[in-house]
Amino acid sequence: MNDELVIALSKGRIYRETLPFLKQAGIEPVDDPETSRKLILRTTHDDVKLLVIRATDVPCYVEYGAADVGVAGKDVLLEQSGGNLYEPVDMGIARCRLMVAAPVGSDLSGRKRLKVATKFVRSAQRHFAARGQQVDIIKLYGSMELAPLVGLADCIVDLVDTGGTLKANGLAPVEHIADISSRLIVNKASMKLKRERVHRLIDKFAAVAESREAA
Ligand code: PRT
Ligand code: MG
C-alpha cells in the first residue's frame, strides 16, 4: 500500500496537457476520463492511480495526503492557504493570465470603492490592497463576465487566455495580476515516505518542462 502512488488532477485541459508528462514517466492511463465515469483511473502500472476531480479540489486531496501528488493551476494554489504541500515543478501548461477586466470604455480610476466580482477572492484582495484601492469583493463561482454587464460589479478578476470571452461580452483587460501555469504539487509526508518514487516523478516532469521551455 505504501508503494502505491496516487496522482490527483482535473479533467479537461490539465488532464490533456499532463498526459505527455505522465507518458515520459512511463505512466499511461488505461481508462479515459472523458468517456469513463470512473473517478479513479487505472494506469499501465498497477501501483499508480489517477484521481480525476475538480480543479479547485486538487490541492485539498494532496494536502490531506489522499493523493501523493497532483497537478494544479497557480490560480487555484494562490487561493489556498496551503501549508502541507510542495510545489516543485512549474510544468508550463494550461497557461493564462489572471487579470482585472472592465467594460470597454469604463474609467475605474479615481473611484473611492470598486465592486469586484470574482472567484479568485484572495488574489483579488491582495492585488487591490497592494494598490491601496478599496474594494467590495463579490464571490462568484463562474460566468464572472456577466457581473459588470448587469450592474452587479464595476469590474472582474478572471483568467484570460485568448481574450475572446472578454471581447464577446464587451469587456477589456485593464490590469495584469499574475501569469498562470500549472504546477506539480506534492504532499509533504509523501515526499519523505515515498521519496524515491516521488523524486523520480519530479525529475521526469522537470525534464519535460525544461525541454519544452527550450523548444
Ligand atoms: O470546468 P470547471 O469549472 O469544472 O473547472 P475549471 O474551470 O477550474 O477547469 P478548467 O479545466 O477549465 O481549468 C483548469 C485550469 O486551467 C485553471 O485553474 C487554470 O489554471 C487553467 N486555465 C488556462 C484556464 C484558462 N486557461 C482559461 N482560459 N482556466 C479557465 N479559463 C477560462 C476563463 O476563466 C474564462 O472563462 O476560459 C475563459 C477565458 O478564455 P479566453 O481564451 O476566452 O480568454
Ligand atoms: Mg472551466
Side-chain angles (χ1 to χ4, degrees):
M1 190 64 195
N2 207 18
D3 283 343
E4 191 173 73
L5 192 73
V6 180
I7 305 173
L9 75 184
S10 53
K11 245 202 313 223
R13 73 188 99 208
I14 288 187
Y15 179 82
R16 275 194 311 276
E17 296 191 42
T18 300
L19 278 182
F21 287 75
L22 290 171
K23 195 169 182 185
Q24 278 299 312
I27 300 163
E28 292 188 66
V30 199
D31 307 303
D32 177 0
E34 304 298 346
T35 54
S36 162
R37 284 167 187 251
K38 286 184 189 167
L39 300 175
I40 304 179
L41 304 185
R42 291 167 300 146
T43 72
T44 43
H45 292 260
D46 282 343
D47 53 355
V48 180
K49 292 195 166 57
L50 305 181
L51 305 185
V52 182
I53 55 185
R54 287 293 297 261
T56 44
D57 290 336
V58 168
C60 179
Y61 277 74
V62 175
E63 278 215 53
Y64 286 101
D68 300 296
V69 305
V71 179
K74 186 67 185 175
D75 52 314
V76 169
L77 295 168
L78 286 169
E79 292 300 306
Q80 240 74 28
S81 46
N84 209 26
L85 49 82
Y86 296 114
E87 206 184 294
V89 184
D90 180 351
M91 296 167 64
I93 60 167
R95 283 185 198 267
C96 55
R97 287 148 291 149
L98 187 64
M99 303 200 81
V100 183
V104 173
S106 68
D107 184 12
L108 302 181
S109 63
R111 298 274 280 276
K112 193 143 192 289
R113 269 189 109 75
L114 285 178
K115 281 190 284 177
V116 183
T118 189
K119 76 175 171 188
F120 305 101
V121 170
R122 284 171 64 116
S123 294
Q125 260 159 357
R126 235 177 277 150
H127 171 74
F128 288 107
R131 300 170 79 274
Q133 171 71 56
Q134 293 184 42
V135 290
D136 296 310
I137 306 273
I138 300 161
K139 165 89 183 183
L140 295 178
Y141 293 88
S143 304
M144 268 86 82
E145 300 85 6
L146 180 61
L149 306 182
V150 294
L152 181 61
D154 301 306
C155 60
I156 63 173
V157 168
D158 196 6
L159 299 173
V160 180
D161 179 17
T162 62
T165 306
L166 291 183
K167 201 163 175 208
N169 291 289
L171 304 176
V174 291
E175 273 178 315
H176 175 274
I177 300 179
D179 287 324
I180 302 295
S181 54
S182 294
R183 315 299 165 102
L184 178 68
I185 57 175
V186 179
N187 174 270
K188 282 192 174 169
S190 300
M191 189 77 112
K192 285 204 196 93
L193 299 172
K194 303 185 182 179
R195 194 183 159 76
E196 211 164 296
R197 295 207 70 161
V198 168
H199 274 266
R200 230 183 302 145
L201 194 73
I202 290 173
D203 290 346
K204 287 283 186 211
F205 273 44
V208 176
E210 220 170 283
S211 72
R212 289 174 164 212
E213 205 63 50

